[in-house]
Structure formats: structure tokens, C-alpha cells
Amino acid sequence: MNEHSPVTQSNAVKATPTLPDAQVVTQVTHWTDRLFSFRVSRPASLRFRSGEFVMIGLMGDPHPETGKVKPLLRAYSIASPSWDEELEFYSIKVQDGPLTSRLQHIKAGDEIILRPKPVGTLVHDALLPGKRLWFFATGTGFAPFASLLREPQTYEDYDEVVITHTCREAGELAYGAKLIEDLKNDELLNELIGEGFWKKIKYYPTTTREESPKMGRITDLMKSGEAFTDLGVEPLNAATDRAMICGNLAFNIELKEMFEGYGLEEGANSKPAHYVVEKAFLD
Ligand code: A2P
């Protein structure tokens, strides 16, 4: 399978919920042998801010002695925007991962558990006003930005939106690349946000272990200055730039150190500042 042939399966049959906090899967798309995305029904009462995450999962295996089953839940960023009728998620498949070894087999019509308590720091409220917004992702860390890239406030609040995505292989960029390409022809969003809103986006995908038009870790490409030259923008500074980070732990730590060097301060819901960080789901 490659980036041009995602396998999508849809047409959910609405089942009677049998799990606690059950939601019904409406669509599943397999992007590579390591990545898939899926959509589920949205609880009528669920309100969230684009960029937040919820706990989702399946029932675990029965306890060997008591036979009791408990939910097996993990934090997943909601990849769909806050206005969407359904919820979308983007996930890795880990063959021996407790949850994703099973979650990767869900089909339209199946149920998952979704605790309707959204939280998270990758939200507009945690940033001070600025001119340019940066999204830095590795792997499935793209998920919260899939939400924020479809959120009108992103374009109302900023003149420019830069999204960098570093993956091992080129096929792992497909979900993000298609999502960004689809924004151009999204009639609803062009009407809602303003015709041509997507021209504010600068997309900078890179790979580290397979040939692609731009190779290297985004951290190294920024340190050398190459990323800024390619993008035609100045290095980040506290007066104009705001940033959100979502990737693996080492990536988050390295970028945080770089940002502190640029003079940016970490923000939170209770104390907005220049950048915010969240760990991507890895299980
Ligand atoms: P690399 O292949 O050089 O390790 P993973 O799948 O392990 O979570 O990694 C996703 C992507 O993030 C890979 O392209 C990986 O590059 C990159 N990466 C891992 N650690 C860092 C880091 N500290 N800074 C920048 N990129 C990183």
C-alpha cells in the first residue's frame, strides 16, 4: 500500500450500544501498515476545543482469575475540528501494543469506548496573540493539527500557519498531505473561513529514513537554518511567532530547548504564552 491508495471502508450500520460510553465506528482508512485513521459517532453532549484529546479504547481481556473485564483506554487527540458532526482519530498500529494491536482491526459498525471528557494544552486559549502559528509534528503527532488546520479560529487569529511534519518514511506523510490538499477544495471551509484561506498554510513535510523531496529531522533543518530559508520566513521570535508541538518525547524535549533559546516561553490554559507541547500517542 502506498500514499495514493489508502483503503477506506465506510457505511456504518448503527448498532445498539453495548459498551459503557460506546460510540459507533463510521469509517476506517488504512494509510500504511503502521498507520490508520477512523471516524466515530459523536456524543450529542460532547463539546471540545480543536486540539484537545479524549480517552478512547476497547474492553480489555478478561482477568485470568476473576473473569472481570475492564476498559483499556489511551489518550488520543481528536483529529477532527470542533464543528464536525463526527469525531476522527489518527493512530499508529503496534503489533504487540495492548490497545492498537486490537484497535487496528475495527470496522465500520463496531463500537469503541469514548470517555467524553476532552482536555489538552494544544489549544488557541493557551497562546498569546501572534502573527505566525507553527505546528510541529512527528508521526501521529499530526492528529491535533488535523483538527486545528480545519478550525476557523486558526485563520482568524493568524496571518500565516506553518505545519512541519517529520516521519520516518514517505508513506507516513500521506494522511497529513491529503488533508492539507483537500482544504483547497473544501467548499464548506472556504465559505466558513473565507475563500482561499488555505493560502495562509506553509506545509513542510520531511522524512528521515526514506528518500523524499525534503530529508532530515526538522530540528536539524532549523538549527542549520535550511528550514527557514526553504519556507522563506525568519526564525521564531517571541514578538510574532506562536507554536504547538506534538511528537515523540525526544523531539518534544529538543524543540522545547530550541524554543527557550529563541526566547519563547511555554504556555498553559491558565497562563497563555508563546508555545505549548503535548506527547503523541505511542503504544
Ligand atoms: P529518526 O528516523 O531520525 O529517528 P518515531 O517513529 O520514532 O516516533 O519517529 C518519528 C520521526 O521523528 C522520525 O522521522 C524520527 O527521526 C523523528 N525524530 C525522533 N526523535 C527526534 C528528535 N529528537 N528531533 C527531531 N526528530 C526526531
Side-chain angles (χ1 to χ4, degrees):
M1 204 181 310
N2 61 38
E3 65 203 271
H4 301 299
S5 60
V7 178
T8 301
Q9 165 229 47
S10 58
N11 300 325
V13 182
K14 192 97 182 159
T16 312
T18 51
L19 294 171
D21 290 328
Q23 295 302 323
V24 181
V25 176
T26 59
Q27 193 180 74
V28 183
T29 303
H30 292 275
W31 298 91
T32 72
D33 55 1
R34 286 181 69 221
L35 295 167
F36 70 116
S37 63
F38 55 97
R39 293 176 68 86
V40 304
S41 54
R42 175 172 176 170
S45 60
L46 177 66
R47 298 276 171 275
F48 69 97
R49 295 174 296 174
S50 292
E52 288 187 311
F53 65 83
V54 285
M55 303 300 289
I56 66 170
L58 298 167
M59 290 309 280
D61 291 328
H63 188 279
E65 280 153 29
T66 63
K68 272 194 174 171
V69 286
K70 280 205 274 184
L72 182 58
L73 302 173
R74 294 287 185 271
Y76 267 82
S77 291
I78 302 172
S80 47
S82 58
W83 51 264
D84 202 326
E85 281 175 13
E86 293 182 338
L87 299 174
E88 184 174 314
F89 299 96
Y90 181 47
S91 179
I92 195 158
K93 307 176 195 178
V94 180
Q95 294 319 328
D96 56 358
L99 179 61
T100 63
S101 59
R102 291 174 48 209
L103 195 62
Q104 63 182 288
H105 299 299
I106 54 167
K107 301 179 302 303
D110 289 351
E111 289 178 354
I112 65 156
I113 304 167
L114 189 150
R115 298 274 190 252
K117 294 194 182 69
V119 284
T121 56
L122 302 184
V123 291
H124 284 302
D125 293 343
L127 294 177
L128 293 168
K131 291 201 179 334
R132 185 184 298 125
L133 179 60
W134 294 78
F135 295 142
F136 292 96
T138 64
T140 54
F142 191 88
F145 307 135
S147 174
L148 285 155
L149 283 165
R150 293 181 276 187
E151 167 58 54
Q153 192 185 349
T154 300
Y155 307 93
E156 285 159 13
D157 288 1
Y158 295 92
D159 299 336
E160 230 173 358
V161 179
V162 185
I163 163 88
T164 84
H165 192 194
T166 299
C167 292
R168 296 179 186 193
E169 296 169 10
E172 296 173 60
L173 296 168
Y175 172 78
K178 181 170 187 315
L179 189 139
I180 291 168
E181 189 57 31
D182 286 352
L183 291 177
K184 297 179 185 171
N185 303 315
D186 191 316
E187 284 180 22
L188 179 72
L189 279 181
N190 275 285
E191 195 178 317
L192 204 70
I193 305 174
E195 199 59 49
F197 75 93
W198 49 269
K199 291 179 188 159
K200 288 188 173 183
I201 301 173
K202 285 187 153 96
Y203 175 45
Y204 197 68
T206 79
T207 58
T208 51
R209 303 193 194 186
E210 190 185 42
E211 194 88 21
S212 77
K214 195 78 212 175
M215 300 225 22
R217 291 179 165 194
I218 186 63
T219 41
D220 295 337
L221 293 162
M222 286 165 72
K223 281 176 189 162
S224 71
E226 196 175 329
F228 302 116
T229 308
D230 289 342
L231 286 162
V233 299
E234 294 294 314
L236 287 80
N237 75 80
T240 53
D241 296 273
R242 302 293 172 259
M244 297 192 186
I245 310 172
C246 189
N248 64 53
L249 194 58
F251 171 77
N252 291 358
I253 291 170
E254 202 173 324
L255 265 186
K256 270 177 77 149
E257 281 169 6
M258 288 172 63
F259 285 0
E260 301 291 336
Y262 294 134
L264 270 58
E265 283 170 24
E266 185 168 0
N269 277 284
S270 55
K271 190 176 176 293
H274 307 129
Y275 75 92
V276 282
V277 189
E278 217 151 70
K279 194 162 138 287
F281 175 72
L282 294 169
D283 192 16

